[in-house]
């Protein structure tokens, strides 16, 4: 089976022959405290593809980046703890060479037994990785027969292991996670069922501007919250107190509002807020029943009137995408708006996707993650896919 991609095709694992040697690019960039993994979600997300390749009796070499060592060997950014966790979770021997290229790796490849997998050391220990160096890609390729990518969260990067390397293979495939992400995200950009609602929040409008502009061409309703809404509210002439505003983005915010009205896209703004003194030390939340925030105070969450107003128009949606928390959800009780939005979304009868690092953290914490259709773990990659309809790492997989 294959996935259509801009008049080309990306093969899936069903097309992969049994028993071949596979270079498997994963996103095992997990958070570490010392050598302890504090969240192994990304490792667990990769297991179905690894297991499928084991079932197919493939010889597997796994590669990933971790952190930002910027071309230097940094002990604290070794993948060793990941090798140990993989061995535990798969109950298999994981061979861990101390580099991702070179004679040591070759020797392990030659000696590899059927019941062993190889995990290469951090790709970013070589500056060539981020420079998309073709020679480095050739060294990574070594004698591998096929390339499989399941590193969805890294596909917006034009790096050696995601861009130059797959181009060197005739046989290349998307893993199960990439397949699932593409199925879900393409429903948001190809022919979304209407009405199509988008809820946008989060910290900075400058990070999201291009996605918002792209979504104006697809969505019917856009609901705005989080810190980024204050740039819009200031552009509309409201008092925003000390809330986070990106002054230099006010003209772009005005342009977005004009474009929305030209295209018949409805924009929904908050009607009330919970306020605090600052992000670092918000103090007790103070309720503000209107969009007029007193001097010295910051809007840190949306209020009940806003949620009731949003709810009315969210309910009838047929497609729904949520990116960006509605408030300072890391500090209780300013998580309430985001959690209650998660509840509203869980009750909608729409095709629902949640994407973005913090938005996914918020819905996971609310305990409602299993109530939506798709949680996109890609962060930057999912937003760029929605914005541009493609990614460098997907282009390199297509043929
Ligand atoms: P995502 O990772 O889901 O794309 P962002 O990174 O854009 O989301 O934004 C998440 C951050 O925005 C969180 O740290 C959250 O605390 C912050 N945030 C949301 N609303 C506010 C607000 N009103 N004031 C300050 N920070 C906020
Ligand atoms: Mg974030």
């Amino acid at each position: 089976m294959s996935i259509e991609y801009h008049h080309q095709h990306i093969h899936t694992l069903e097309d992969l022959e049994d028993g071949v040697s596979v270079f498997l690019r994963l996103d095992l960039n997990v958070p570490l405290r010392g050598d302890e993994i504090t969240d192994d979600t990304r490792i667990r997300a990769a297991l179905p593809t690894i297991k499928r390749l084991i079932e197919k009796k493939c010889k597997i070499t796994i590669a990933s980046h971790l952190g930002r060592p910027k071309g230097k060997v940094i002990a604290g950014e070794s993948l060793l703890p990941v090798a140990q966790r993989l061995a535990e979770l798969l109950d298999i021997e994981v061979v861990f060479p101390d580099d991702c290229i070179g004679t040591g790796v070759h020797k392990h490849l030659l000696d590899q037994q059927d019941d062993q997998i190889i995990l290469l050391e951090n790709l970013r220990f070589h500056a060539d990785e981020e420079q998309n160096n073709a020679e480095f890609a050739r060294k990574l390729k070594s004698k591998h027969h096929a390339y499989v990518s399941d590193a969805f969260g890294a596909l917006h990067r034009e790096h050696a292991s995601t861009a130059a390397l797959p181009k060197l293979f005739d046989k290349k495939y998307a893993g199960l996670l990439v397949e699932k992400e593409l199925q879900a995200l393409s429903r948001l950009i190809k022919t979304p069922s209407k009405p199509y609602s988008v809820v946008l929040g989060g910290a900075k409008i400058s990070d999201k501007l291009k996605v918002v502009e792209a979504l104006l061409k697809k969505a019917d309703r856009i609901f705005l919250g989080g810190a980024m809404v204050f740039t819009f509210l200031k552009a509309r002439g409201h008092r925003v107190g000390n809330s986070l505003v990106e002054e230099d983005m006010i003209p772009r915010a005005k342009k977005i509002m004009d474009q929305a009205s030209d295209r018949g896209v409805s924009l929904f703004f908050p009607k009330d807020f919970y306020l605090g003194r600052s992000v670092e030390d918000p103090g007790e939340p103070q309720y503000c029943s209107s969009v007029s925030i007193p001097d010295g105070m910051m809007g840190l969450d949306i209020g009940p009137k806003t949620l009731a107003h949003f709810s009315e128009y969210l309910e009838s949606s047929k497609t729904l995408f949520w990116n960006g928390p509605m408030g300072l959800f890391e500090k209780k009780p300013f998580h309430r708006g985001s959690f209650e939005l998660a509840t509203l979304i869980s009750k909608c009868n729409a095709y629902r996707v949640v994407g973005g690092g913090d938005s996914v953290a918020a819905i996971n914490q609310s305990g409602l993650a299993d109530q939506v259709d798709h949680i996109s773990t890609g962060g930057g990659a999912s937003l760029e896919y929605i914005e541009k309809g493609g990614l460098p790492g997907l282009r390199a997989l297509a043929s």
Side-chain angles (χ1 to χ4, degrees), residues 201-204 207-208 226-227 230 244 279 298-301 323-330 355-360 383:
K204 287 168 80 178
D207 285 349
K208 307 275 172 86
F230 296 105
L244 295 177
V279 168
M298 290 181 92
L300 293 178
D301 198 11
N323 168 262
M326 293 290 102
L328 185 68
F329 78 103
E330 299 93 335
D358 293 291
S359 327
V360 169
L383 293 186

Side-chain angles (χ1 to χ4, degrees), residues 240-374:
V240 296
N242 273 354
S243 307
L244 295 177
V245 167
E246 289 174 84
E247 295 286 344
D248 53 338
M249 289 294 140
I250 288 178
R252 296 280 288 274
K254 282 186 177 148
K255 201 166 148 214
I256 287 176
M257 292 188 281
D258 288 343
Q259 282 172 340
S261 100
D262 290 348
R263 290 177 188 275
V265 178
S266 313
L267 295 184
F268 294 81
F269 292 94
K271 291 186 176 295
D272 58 347
F273 295 99
Y274 285 103
L275 314 179
R277 279 192 307 265
S278 69
V279 168
E280 295 71 35
D281 181 22
E284 279 300 302
Q286 219 181 80
Y287 182 60
C288 172
S289 65
S290 72
V291 190
S292 181
I293 296 177
D295 292 344
M297 297 302 285
M298 290 181 92
L300 293 178
D301 198 11
I302 56 173
K305 280 202 288 191
T306 305
L307 283 155
H309 173 57
F310 283 9
S311 151
E312 230 179 282
Y313 294 89
L314 276 174
E315 254 169 21
S316 58
S317 309
K318 289 281 177 286
T319 305
L320 203 156
F321 174 56
W322 175 24
N323 168 262
M326 293 290 102
L328 185 68
F329 78 103
E330 299 93 335
K331 292 207 174 139
K332 285 184 175 157
F334 298 101
H335 68 292
R336 265 197 313 230
S338 302
F339 277 32
E340 280 172 32
L341 178 73
T343 307
L344 288 180
I345 290 179
S346 74
K347 290 182 183 149
C348 283
N349 194 15
Y351 181 71
R352 294 149 302 173
V353 177
V354 181
D358 293 291
S359 327
V360 169
I363 195 155
N364 279 336
Q365 285 166 27
S366 76
L368 293 166
D370 59 347
Q371 302 290 310
V372 302
D373 297 281
H374 183 67

Side-chain angles (χ1 to χ4, degrees), residues 50 124 130 148 201 205 219 244 341 397 399:
I50 304 175
R124 290 193 187 163
E130 290 183 73
V148 174
I205 167 174
L244 295 177
L341 178 73
L397 271 186
S399 54

